[in-house]
Amino acid sequence: MTIRDNLQEIYSDVYTPQALAALTALAPLNQRIKTLMQDRLKRRAHRGQTHTRIQFLDPQSTIPGSSIRVQDAREGNFDGSPIPADLQRQWIQGTGPAAKPNAPLQSSLRNVAYALLSGADGWMFDGEDALGQITTMSLDNQRNLKLAIHKDPVFLNTARQVAQEMNRWADGFLGRSIITDWEQQLAFTTKIFRARGLHLDDRHIRDADGVALAASIVDATLYVVNNYQALQQAGSSIVLYLPKIQTAEEAGVWNQLLTALETHLNLPIGTIKVYVLVEQLEATHQLMEIRAVLGRHFVGYNTGRWDYINSVSDAMAWDKSFVNPNIEAITMTYGYMRHYEDRVRRAVNTPDRNGNYALWQGGMEPNIPVGSEAGVAASMAKAVAGAQREQAAGASGKWVAHWKMVHIVRPVWEQVGEPNQLGR
């Protein structure tokens, strides 16, 4: 493999010998991913040309790339995963990148400090949608996460300062502090990483054939290799969010990637746990199949709004009779969005052959308590109402887009007073 410019020297703490050895071991999957992405585009083009709607798989067929019969997957006749202890209560997950664009290290690290001091049950550090794919931001993201997970002094110094700022805000807005012991608070939130999807290439690394290495291989490998020992020593699971999956066959390649990485590191198969973001209409036709092929790695699904709406519009672009209303009207209670949410609910509430259910993390709360007093009050009421609806619908928890929202939405789930409602 080749790494461009002098990045291997600049980011030697990320491109460690161990990480590079793992990337070399996983590089043979690169061509398989490229072929799958070509198939994805051909499938989309064919549907547009032939005016064909997305279909469910034949129940008597075998999931492509696997030996699992579709009907067996739908009936839960496969080995899934028990939910690890630190994922059994994920009422509120925050999301955001671990780095800032073109920022000095101490400033960039503040993103991680806010996240881990927020009081969220989990934080999905985004390496994809919310991370600017410019210059070396993907590497800055990896570096910052490693510094935080390993409790490097430079991160701890930043976290101490950020904790004071967060308490000043909370005293003014909530009338109370939210952080008592900042060092202890850093250990509360489960660290989760969202790798880039199969459709993206890494801009820095090329394989032995001169082909850009799939970003999924790079992101998952760098994060896991650099952090798995520190996470395990802290009693934390190794957790990824997998984006943009469209089919069970694509999920199967993710399973190959994760299994190969675990094998390379001498970890038991299923050590790495994954949530899957259901962002594509096609994926909602193969939810149990996706669960089945990910097997012991899979712990849950996440439902969201914006990407799914866009995927529906894309899939139906050829049908002139299909017209979306104003996008503000397409809430989670709107027609096809209700069907989407219901399919996910049914999929996570179907046990595998060992009685394991899965998790359903609800959608993103985009509101932030900023603006006029009346505007903040209205947006906070809307945020709480949305959380109440998802909790009543059976979601295991919810996402928030800003650390300030954690303590506003969290009470909705605290009223339940129990871990996630498995099998509701």
Side-chain angles (χ1 to χ4, degrees):
M1 296 186 303
T2 56
I3 300 175
R4 73 176 181 88
D5 302 332
N6 59 343
L7 292 181
Q8 189 171 345
E9 289 73 36
I10 296 173
Y11 290 92
S12 59
D13 54 329
V14 176
Y15 291 132
T16 63
Q18 296 81 7
L20 293 175
L23 284 172
T24 300
L26 269 64
L29 283 170
N30 200 38
Q31 186 52 53
R32 173 70 176 133
I33 292 172
K34 296 293 189 293
T35 300
L36 262 187
M37 293 303 95
Q38 292 171 2
D39 292 344
R40 178 192 281 186
L41 294 176
K42 290 176 183 177
R43 202 166 56 248
R44 177 182 181 274
H46 176 76
R47 286 197 298 262
Q49 293 165 2
T50 60
H51 293 187
T52 303
R53 293 178 181 270
I54 292 171
Q55 303 291 324
F56 290 97
L57 298 179
D58 179 353
Q60 300 308 315
S61 66
T62 299
I63 300 172
S66 81
S67 60
I68 303 172
R69 197 170 64 103
V70 170
Q71 189 60 35
D72 284 334
R74 293 177 183 172
E75 293 175 354
N77 189 21
F78 58 86
D79 291 319
S81 171
I83 306 303
D86 58 347
L87 294 180
Q88 288 179 11
R89 190 188 70 184
Q90 289 290 304
W91 288 334
I92 302 298
Q93 288 181 355
T95 179
K100 297 179 181 180
N102 304 316
L105 180 61
Q106 285 80 358
S107 174
S108 188
L109 276 170
R110 290 169 64 86
N111 277 22
V112 193
Y114 280 120
L116 297 183
L117 292 168
S118 67
D121 298 291
W123 196 277
M124 189 272 281
F125 291 101
D126 198 351
E128 200 209 32
D129 284 358
L131 182 76
Q133 303 296 325
I134 61 171
T135 59
T136 56
M137 274 202 74
S138 63
L139 296 171
D140 295 331
N141 209 42
Q142 295 277 1
R143 169 177 282 167
N144 289 358
L145 285 172
K146 184 176 181 180
L147 290 171
I149 291 170
H150 288 257
K151 296 185 178 180
D152 188 276
V154 69
F155 170 73
L156 294 179
N157 183 55
T158 299
R160 177 179 54 80
Q161 298 173 25
V162 167
Q164 296 171 355
E165 297 173 19
M166 293 173 76
N167 271 339
R168 282 197 293 270
W169 170 84
D171 288 338
F173 190 85
L174 300 172
R176 58 181 173 84
S177 296
I178 56 176
I179 302 167
T180 303
D181 184 328
W182 67 270
E183 290 184 279
Q184 184 178 17
Q185 184 73 17
L186 287 173
F188 177 79
T189 300
T190 301
K191 292 87 172 169
I192 308 170
F193 177 64
R194 172 156 76 166
R196 286 171 288 179
L198 297 171
H199 61 297
L200 294 175
D201 289 337
D202 186 83
R203 68 174 65 217
H204 306 308
I205 306 180
R206 293 186 177 274
D207 65 16
D209 297 321
V211 178
L213 203 58
S216 301
I217 296 175
V218 176
D219 283 357
T221 300
L222 293 180
Y223 177 75
V224 173
V225 173
N226 284 327
N227 300 301
Y228 78 97
Q229 291 175 319
L231 288 168
Q232 289 184 322
Q233 288 168 6
S236 179
S237 299
I238 305 162
V239 193
L240 305 176
Y241 260 104
L242 308 184
K244 307 298 186 291
I245 289 174
Q246 295 193 13
T247 66
E249 184 176 14
E250 293 177 7
V253 170
W254 268 110
N255 191 64
Q256 283 182 272
L257 191 162
L258 299 173
T259 299
L261 186 53
E262 290 164 334
T263 301
H264 177 79
L265 297 173
N266 294 315
L267 295 172
I269 305 304
T271 297
I272 302 169
K273 302 302 182 186
V274 299
Y275 287 89
V276 172
L277 293 105
V278 187
E279 302 171 272
Q280 297 290 322
L281 177 62
E282 190 168 14
T284 63
H285 290 66
Q286 301 183 31
L287 290 173
M288 288 302 295
E289 294 91 322
I290 290 171
R291 262 191 75 183
V293 296
L294 283 166
R296 285 174 282 176
H297 295 115
F298 182 89
V299 292
Y301 280 124
N302 162 256
T303 51
R305 182 182 173 203
W306 304 109
D307 289 295
Y308 189 74
I309 293 171
N310 289 330
S311 83
V312 171
S313 297
D314 179 74
M316 302 301 295
W318 56 265
D319 187 349
K320 294 181 180 180
S321 68
F322 178 83
V323 180
N324 262 328
N326 185 309
I327 198 166
E328 289 299 319
I330 312 177
T331 63
M332 296 303 291
T333 59
Y334 179 80
Y336 64 73
M337 299 301 286
R338 286 189 293 106
H339 291 297
Y340 157 56
E341 190 175 81
D342 186 58
R343 285 185 185 179
V344 172
R345 176 172 45 240
R346 291 171 184 271
V348 301
N349 287 334
T350 300
D352 69 7
R353 63 163 62 105
N354 300 309
N356 296 310
Y357 295 91
L359 304 175
W360 162 30
Q361 201 71 22
M364 171 69 67
E365 176 48 62
N367 284 291
I368 301 173
V370 175
S372 68
E373 184 176 344
V376 169
S379 62
M380 294 306 97
K382 185 177 180 181
V384 170
Q388 289 171 334
R389 188 204 67 79
E390 283 192 309
Q391 195 283 323
S396 305
K398 187 170 183 62
W399 269 9
V400 295
H402 197 280
W403 66 266
K404 291 179 179 178
M405 293 301 298
V406 172
H407 294 271
I408 294 168
V409 178
R410 187 181 184 85
V412 173
W413 264 268
E414 287 181 335
Q415 291 172 8
V416 180
E418 300 172 352
N420 287 330
Q421 306 85 40
L422 304 184
R424 275 182 60 174

